[in-house]
Amino acid sequence: MWHVVRKVADAPAAAAAALWLLALAPFAWTCLSGMEVALASSLLVAMIALLLSQPAAGPPSWRLAAVLAAASLSRPEAMALVVGVVVVAAVARLRTRSYPAAAAWLAPLAAPAAWLLANKLWAGNALPNTGVAKSHFYQPGFDLTYWWDMLLTTSARMAHGLFVDEKSPFSWPGLVLVAWAVGAYRILRWARREQRYLVGLVIALAPAAMAMAVVASSGMWSFQNYRYITPAFALLAVSVGAALAAPGWLLRWRRGRLVWSLALALGAGLYARAAWPRLVADARLFAQGAMDTNTQVVAIGQHLRAHLPTARVMLHDAGAIAYYGEGHVHDMLGLVTNRQAGVANHGPGSRLEFLEELAPAARPTHFAYYPSWLGAPEFFGDVLLETPLGPALEPRRLVGGGNMQLLTARWELAGKGEQPLAPHPGWRVVDRVDVASLASERAHAWRGELGRRKLGDPTARWSLVGRHQAGPGPLMLDGGRTIRGGRERFTLRLADADDYSGIVGQNMPDLEEVAGRGYTRHDRAALTFQ
């Protein structure tokens, strides 16, 4: 930060910008807590530093090309920023017919392209599993009207939370907003004077672009103490530093620089004093998180390694349990288990159907869960370990519940809801649509009017678990949907042509008679219902 701000402002402003960044409690917290924030922030600031020394023409230096490639892999928002930088630079070279230089600028995109292709080949989707689990675009009920409403609502919340709310991560949030505006103006004036438009636009606009990329993709701008937008704070610090440079009119006075430096030192001291309570609170949050992690997921992982080394564990918080347990895990949220996030997005009914479809040998032997999270507690057996949390050091906590349990898995109720309730002699099941099973729905072209997504909808809005007790018989479970629009469409397959004619002749009314009951199309292979 010191190196970058000195180039666009002066040394006292560079020192103040560095101090401002270090005094941001969420920045310190996310960097120290093992997240990717420190890596992404360092690469993005290095990118700006190298852009400042990059000639206006020609290819990028090898250092800049390497940093661009690495930054694109550090965070999805950083990838979007890198793509914008290299495309603008390449287009500028193409306009002067510098084709080798344009190709050299585009070369860093090989890294994210290879990463996206690898995700597609191994995970089934171009975005990583975390994107599928959290991105708006992969959620049921998504459409552009929802996305636009969400974008406006969440952007307003983020702007208020960062620059107005007293709980803002910034001390003096209103002044930070003013400093950003003033600094961006100064940076753009400097870029025009120096003919360095690309780096000027990056410094001035990248903080907003990265924060908006988070809002547009997931809306989780305040998730885990601002984790996803914290790399933008490092870029914002450059503009803040530019705003703190001594004004030209003051420098015309012989002692103007000294006076400005003393004023900056006083302001920095007051800012550090104002920031101290937030730093203390986030230090306590760090300690709280470490204690809760040790109490729950670390304890479960260690128990598995010591007592159940061959267990197959289904969980929703994979990191520490997998690391300390060193055994087989299946992440029900889909962060580390491929092709699972879509099931999780569709809620408890789809999770139930997925579990029932697993081959018996592939089913988990144990669950590591908060009891209310699965949606089908009938699959829970004996509780082997409980992990109740201790007293809180800090009002904020990052865990999903107060007591994660290690439980045995029981499967005697699996599949009980798949057959007719009563026997029908002479009948046989030719085909069935298993509603809420994503695989069965795809195989039968099932579409239901489930309703438009709303901001903050729980997964239980999209599927549910139904329970039925038929007399003295066993409890039956089945996944289902709430079809809010009152309409659904699916296609049933028939065994073969002979069976088709027999079914229509013996067990079904004439197709013309039932045309008004929902049949919309029929042929010798299938019936489609609307």
Side-chain angles (χ1 to χ4, degrees), residues 20 23-26 161-163 165-174 176-177 180 226 229 233 236 271 274-275 278:
W20 181 82
L24 282 179
L162 292 180
F163 300 113
D165 198 312
E166 62 179 11
K167 296 181 180 179
S168 165
F170 308 134
S171 300
W172 307 344
V176 172
L177 179 60
W180 183 11
Y226 309 100
I229 65 169
F233 295 167
L236 178 60
Y271 188 89
R278 289 175 171 81

Side-chain angles (χ1 to χ4, degrees), residues 450-468:
L450 303 178
R452 178 181 176 273
R453 188 169 191 83
K454 297 178 182 178
L455 191 63
D457 276 343
T459 59
R461 175 180 170 86
W462 309 108
S463 74
L464 51 91
V465 176
R467 295 167 175 84
H468 180 72

Side-chain angles (χ1 to χ4, degrees), residues 225-250:
N225 206 22
Y226 309 100
R227 166 187 172 181
Y228 291 160
I229 65 169
T230 301
F233 295 167
L235 302 180
L236 178 60
V238 182
S239 291
V240 170
L244 298 178
W249 61 265
L250 185 61

Side-chain angles (χ1 to χ4, degrees), residues 173-433:
L175 288 180
V176 172
L177 179 60
V178 172
W180 183 11
V182 171
Y185 173 73
R186 286 184 166 185
I187 290 291
L188 293 175
R189 286 188 60 189
W190 168 88
R192 182 180 180 183
R193 183 176 68 250
E194 301 292 329
Q195 299 292 296
R196 305 300 301 275
Y197 297 107
L198 177 59
V199 67
L201 288 173
V202 170
I203 295 174
L205 302 181
M210 289 193 65
M212 287 302 298
V214 173
V215 170
S217 60
S218 69
M220 303 176 76
W221 66 274
S222 60
F223 179 66
Q224 286 186 344
N225 206 22
Y226 309 100
R227 166 187 172 181
Y228 291 160
I229 65 169
T230 301
F233 295 167
L235 302 180
L236 178 60
V238 182
S239 291
V240 170
L244 298 178
W249 61 265
L250 185 61
L251 294 179
R252 289 193 289 269
W253 182 34
R254 185 167 60 90
R255 296 186 178 179
R257 186 175 298 278
L258 176 61
V259 171
W260 186 259
S261 298
L262 291 174
L264 275 185
L266 176 61
L270 294 174
Y271 188 89
R273 180 182 178 184
W276 185 252
R278 289 175 171 81
L279 287 165
V280 171
D282 273 18
R284 296 174 71 88
L285 179 64
F286 190 99
Q288 183 75 66
M291 183 175 71
D292 292 346
T293 297
N294 286 330
T295 299
Q296 292 190 336
V297 287
V298 171
I300 290 175
Q302 292 174 336
H303 183 91
L304 288 168
R305 182 180 180 184
H307 303 287
L308 298 165
T310 62
R312 301 175 61 88
V313 184
M314 181 163 282
L315 40 73
H316 55 75
D317 208 338
I321 295 177
Y323 181 78
Y324 287 95
E326 297 186 359
H328 179 90
V329 298
H330 185 112
D331 177 19
M332 199 61 179
L333 187 58
L335 301 182
V336 300
T337 300
N338 291 337
R339 297 173 174 83
Q340 181 63 60
V343 176
N345 288 345
H346 277 265
S350 292
R351 286 197 294 268
L352 170 76
E353 297 292 351
F354 172 81
L355 291 171
E356 290 188 328
E357 291 165 359
L358 286 174
R363 287 174 178 166
T365 60
H366 296 79
F367 289 97
Y369 250 79
Y370 298 112
S372 62
W373 279 31
L374 182 64
E378 292 83 0
F379 290 157
F380 290 156
D382 296 332
V383 178
L384 303 181
L385 182 67
E386 296 191 82
T387 60
L389 296 178
L393 302 173
E394 157 69 20
R396 297 170 295 168
R397 292 185 109 142
L398 301 173
V399 292
N403 184 14
M404 181 179 285
Q405 296 177 338
L406 178 63
L407 311 105
T408 59
R410 47 182 295 190
W411 300 108
E412 59 268 22
L413 296 180
K416 295 295 185 182
E418 307 297 337
Q419 298 298 322
L421 298 181
H424 295 271
W427 288 58
R428 63 188 177 88
V429 176
V430 176
D431 191 17
R432 64 183 176 89
V433 182

Side-chain angles (χ1 to χ4, degrees), residues 43-63:
L43 289 169
L44 291 170
V45 174
M47 177 187 74
I48 292 176
L50 292 168
L51 283 172
L52 285 169
S53 58
Q54 177 68 32
S61 68
W62 71 266
R63 285 189 176 88

